Amino acid sequence: MKAAHLGRVLRTVAHLRPTQIVSQLRHLFNEERRAGATLEQTPERSIERAFVPFLDAPAHAQYDGALGFELLRRKHCFRDYVDWDFEGYGPLWLFHLHQFDWARGKSVSASARAAFVEDWIEECTHGAGWSPHPISLRMLSWGKLRLTPGALMQSPKMSVRMDNALAQQAQTLSERLETRLQANHLFSNVLSCVFAGLLYKGARAD
C-alpha cells in the first residue's frame, strides 16, 4: 500500500467508532453476505392481519408478470427463472431485486408471490440478498404481504417455512446492523428489527 493511501486510511479510521471499524472489517471479508444460523423453533405470530392496507409497490420497483423486472428505471427480462445473482446492472439493481418491494405490486398474483418467496428461500443461502440493507427491505415487504389477506397463496407447510425464514433474517440482521454506514441504512435495519419484534412474539422477538 502506498504511503498516501495508508495515510488516507489512518485519517479515516481515526474518526470511526469501534463498532464501525468492526463492521467495516466484516464487510471487507464478505461476512455480511452469508446466511445466519437457523432458529430451533418456528416463531409464533402475534399479528395475523394489518389493520389498514399497506401502500402499493413503489414506482421504481415494478414487475410485469412475465419475469420482467423494472428496477430503478432499468428493465431486465429473465427467461425461465429469476437469477438471484444477476449483476448485469450493478449491485444496486440486484439489491432492489432481493428487496421484494416489487412483489407488492397489483400485477403480481398471490401464487406468483408465494412462488418467488419459496424460490428465494430455496436458492439464496448466501450472496447479495444477505447483505443487511436488502434483508431490511425484504423483511418489510414479506411482512406486509404476510399481513395482507389474500396476498400470498401458500400451503400451511410453506407458511411455516416463510415464518422460519423471516425469523432467521431478523436474527441475522440484528447481529449485522450497518454501523459502518449509519444514516438511512442503519435506520432501515432498526426499523425492520422492530417490525419483526412486533410481527412475532416470545423472548427472541422481545
Side-chain angles (χ1 to χ4, degrees):
M1 180 181 293
K2 295 182 179 180
H5 293 167
L6 179 59
R8 187 180 303 118
V9 170
L10 293 176
R11 286 192 297 273
T12 300
V13 171
H15 296 282
L16 298 179
R17 300 170 183 172
T19 54
Q20 286 179 280
I21 296 174
V22 172
S23 185
Q24 287 283 9
L25 290 173
R26 177 181 292 162
H27 177 74
L28 181 65
F29 291 105
N30 284 328
E31 288 187 17
E32 292 180 344
R33 295 166 66 96
R34 303 170 188 166
T38 56
L39 305 185
E40 296 180 358
Q41 188 173 2
T42 299
E44 184 180 355
R45 286 197 303 275
S46 61
I47 306 173
E48 291 298 331
R49 60 179 298 165
F51 295 102
V52 294
F54 289 110
L55 296 176
D56 195 10
H60 66 265
Q62 300 292 320
Y63 174 67
D64 67 2
L67 294 184
F69 297 83
E70 185 171 350
L71 310 173
L72 304 175
R73 297 186 177 181
R74 305 195 75 170
K75 186 170 183 177
H76 181 77
C77 294
F78 295 103
R79 289 191 175 183
D80 302 316
Y81 60 89
V82 177
D83 179 5
W84 300 107
D85 295 319
F86 175 75
E87 295 184 343
Y89 294 143
L92 186 58
W93 195 95
L94 184 59
F95 273 14
H96 277 271
L97 179 66
H98 281 272
Q99 286 166 195
F100 268 77
D101 41 8
W102 47 267
R104 305 201 319 266
K106 291 182 174 63
S107 64
V108 193
S109 67
S111 58
R113 290 187 185 115
F116 282 129
V117 169
E118 186 171 3
D119 187 58
W120 191 95
I121 293 173
E122 186 69 29
E123 298 294 332
C124 299
T125 58
H126 62 279
W130 284 97
S131 295
H133 198 59
I135 293 178
S136 299
L137 279 295
R138 183 173 58 253
M139 283 172 54
L140 292 173
S141 293
W142 284 17
K144 290 174 181 179
L145 294 175
R146 207 85 177 83
L147 297 177
T148 301
L152 287 166
M153 187 180 295
Q154 293 183 321
S155 66
K157 181 179 180 180
M158 186 56 212
S159 181
V160 169
R161 194 177 183 194
M162 186 177 183
D163 282 327
N164 285 331
L166 271 168
Q168 181 188 19
Q169 291 171 68
Q171 181 64 33
T172 300
L173 179 62
S174 70
E175 297 169 355
R176 301 177 188 173
L177 300 178
E178 292 181 281
T179 51
R180 73 183 184 89
L181 296 176
Q182 304 285 311
N184 64 305
H185 279 246
L186 184 58
F187 177 76
S188 69
N189 297 163
V190 175
L191 180 65
S192 296
C193 286
V194 171
F195 181 67
L198 294 172
L199 183 59
Y200 297 105
K201 57 185 177 182
R204 192 177 295 273
D206 293 340

